[in-house]
Structure formats: structure tokens, C-alpha cells
């Protein structure tokens, strides 16, 4: 897979997943020195070549050939929480198919201390260079897993004493008044459609983010970031 963007490439270099780095001519020497310090093979090329390979001009002058990103298992997420000695905080995505939203949610989840993100196999954007670029390297640290059946996974988590909160704009429960102590799963639905009915019904509670403007809904990745922030406040 061709990975682009400075943070994703630098993180992949730390993981040892890079076989070669393609650098646009004219990139500042300080950044080139960072790349050289890793010992990886560098190849310099005109910026237009990177534009064509990436299919975008937003590659920040660097691309890397890396192993395809692999999905984690849900067990990896549970193990990470146990390893840290923390109550589980997991993000479940129901129908997030936009790769930039997907990547942004992964980034927020890693930054705010969640233990992993889970998507349903047939209702998600794939792990792609766009996801990795938007996640800004977070895919190197945060387990991102697939499940065949999200409602069934929610049932399994509830059996493990995980409290499941679904994000719904019309919900009466204000997210600021929720006690997020203990094991928590946050469910984020698709843009526009929200969560599927069965997923909603499996949640222990539906929560909303209070809005004051005329636009009455938030982008899914922004909503996820706000919910994660609220969930991490006051957690030990």
C-alpha cells in the first residue's frame, strides 16, 4: 500500500513497515534528515509524480510503500485496556463509510485515550491511505477491528458489564450529565441516517450533544470527538 502524509509515514517508519520512501524534490532538508535518520531507502521525484500516485496534492511531499494495514481483533482492544489497567473505552461505528470521517474518529479515539475502534465488516470504509492520512499516524497505535455483526457484539460487551451509549441528536439525555465511569462503549451512527434501529435498541442509553446554532446536527467525526472528551472527563 502507498501511504502518504508526514505523520503517517513517520509512524510507519517507527513500526518498521516501510520498504521505500518517495520524496518530492524541494522538500525542506530538516524533514529529509528525519527520513534519512531512519535508514530507509529514499527516492526523490518531481512533486507531480507524487500527485499522480496519491491521486491528490495533499501528500505533503512524501509517500511510502508499506505493508497493507491489518485489522485487529476485538480481543486486542480488550487486552489493551487490561494492559493499561484501565476501564474499557471503546468506539463502535455503525455505517461510517467516509474515509476521512473514519480516520478522524480513529485519531480522536487515540488522542483521547480510547482503547480501540470497531466497525461492522460490510458497513464501513476500508483501512486505506486516506484513512491513515486523516488519522495522522493514530492507526499505528490504536487497534481498529472488524465485527461481522455489531448488534451481537454490543450484546457480548454488555455481558461483560460494558455500558453502551449511542449518539442520537434527538435523545433527551444530555451527554454532559452522564456518568461515564466503568467500562464504556460509544456508538456513532452514519452521517444523516444515524444508527440502525436494531443497534439503537441494543444501547443502554441514547445521549445527545446540546446545540445552540440553527444547524441542528454535527459531523459524525466531530460528534465522536465531543463524546470521547466527555467520556474521558473524570475517568481514572
Amino acid at each position: 500500500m502507498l501511504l502518504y502524509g508526514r505523520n503517517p509515514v513517520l509512524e510507519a517508519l517507527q513500526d518498521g513497515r516501510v520498504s521505500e520512501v518517495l520524496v518530492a524534490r524541494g522538500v525542506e532538508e530538516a524533514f529529509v534528515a528525519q527520513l534519512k535518520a531512519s535508514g530507509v531507502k529514499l527516492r526523490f521525484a518531481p512533486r507531480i509524480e507524487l500527485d499522480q500516485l496519491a491521486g491528490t496534492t495533499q501528500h505533503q511531499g512524501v509517500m511510502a510503500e508499506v505493508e497493507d494495514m491489518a485489522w485487529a481483533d476485538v480481543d486486542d482492544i480488550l487486552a489493551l485496556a487490561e494492559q493499561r489497567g484501565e476501564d474499557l473505552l471503546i468506539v463502535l461505528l455503525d455505517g461510517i463509510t467516509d474515509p476521512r470521517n473514519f480516520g478522524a474518529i480513529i485519531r480522536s479515539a487515540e488522542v483521547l485515550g480510547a482503547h480501540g475502534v470497531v466497525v461492522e465488516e460490510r458497513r464501513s470504509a476500508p483501512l486505506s491511505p486516506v484513512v491513515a492520512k486523516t488519522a495522522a499516524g493514530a492507526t499505528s497505535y490504536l487497534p481498529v477491528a472488524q465485527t461481522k455483526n455489531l448488534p451481537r457484539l454490543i450484546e457480548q460487551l454488555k455481558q461483560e458489564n460494558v455500558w453502551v451509549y449511542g449518539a442520537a441528536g434527538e435523545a433527551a439525555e444530555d451527554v454532559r450529565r452522564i456518568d461515564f465511569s466503568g467500562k464504556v462503549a460509544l456508538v456513532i451512527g452514519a452521517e444523516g441516517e444515524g444508527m440502525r434501529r436494531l443497534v439503537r435498541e441494543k444501547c443502554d442509553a441514547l445521549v445527545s450533544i446540546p446545540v445552540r446554532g440553527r444547524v441542528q446536527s454535527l459531523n459524525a467525526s466531530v460528534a465522536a470527538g465531543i463524546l470521547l472528551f466527555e467520556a474521558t472527563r473524570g475517568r481514572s
Side-chain angles (χ1 to χ4, degrees), residues 12 17 23 73 79 89 119 131 164 179 181 197 200 217:
R17 297 189 293 123
V23 185
D73 293 322
L89 177 57
V119 301
V131 171
V164 182
D179 177 6
S181 58
R197 179 186 58 80
R200 291 169 66 96
S217 63

Side-chain angles (χ1 to χ4, degrees), residues 90-110:
I90 188 171
V91 181
L92 310 178
L93 303 183
D94 184 30
I96 300 295
T97 56
D98 183 292
R100 289 177 177 81
N101 274 339
F102 188 18
I105 291 169
I106 294 170
R107 181 176 184 173
S108 294
E110 200 285 326

Side-chain angles (χ1 to χ4, degrees), residues 4-175:
Y4 58 84
R6 296 191 181 190
N7 282 338
V9 168
L10 290 172
E11 299 297 348
L13 282 169
Q14 288 186 9
D15 286 351
R17 297 189 293 123
V18 178
S19 56
E20 182 181 64
V21 175
L22 184 62
V23 185
R25 293 195 183 103
V27 166
E28 61 270 24
E29 282 302 319
F31 181 65
V32 173
Q34 266 188 287
L35 296 173
K36 287 181 176 177
S38 71
V40 72
K41 178 183 176 184
L42 302 184
R43 181 167 72 86
F44 293 86
R47 185 171 287 269
I48 192 171
E49 183 176 336
L50 277 75
D51 295 346
Q52 292 168 345
L53 287 170
T56 176
T57 59
Q58 305 302 310
H59 46 68
Q60 299 177 308
V62 63
M63 297 184 69
E65 186 175 337
V66 301
E67 301 170 6
D68 287 344
M69 288 185 290
W71 295 99
D73 293 322
V74 174
D75 286 345
D76 296 326
I77 298 172
L78 306 182
L80 180 58
E82 186 175 348
Q83 176 187 326
R84 291 183 186 171
E86 298 170 347
D87 286 327
L88 178 70
L89 177 57
I90 188 171
V91 181
L92 310 178
L93 303 183
D94 184 30
I96 300 295
T97 56
D98 183 292
R100 289 177 177 81
N101 274 339
F102 188 18
I105 291 169
I106 294 170
R107 181 176 184 173
S108 294
E110 200 285 326
V111 168
L112 292 168
H115 302 103
V117 173
V118 183
V119 301
E120 198 171 79
E121 283 185 11
R122 292 173 295 178
R123 293 178 52 80
S124 170
L127 282 176
S128 68
V130 175
V131 171
K133 168 70 165 54
T134 312
T139 51
S140 295
Y141 302 110
L142 189 77
V144 181
Q146 284 183 320
T147 182
K148 291 185 180 297
N149 188 302
L150 189 59
R152 188 178 303 145
L153 174 63
I154 290 173
E155 283 292 343
Q156 292 168 354
L157 290 172
K158 289 166 71 171
Q159 290 170 14
E160 297 297 323
N161 298 315
V162 178
W163 198 266
V164 182
Y165 297 94
E170 76 283 0
E173 287 285 351
D174 186 327
V175 67

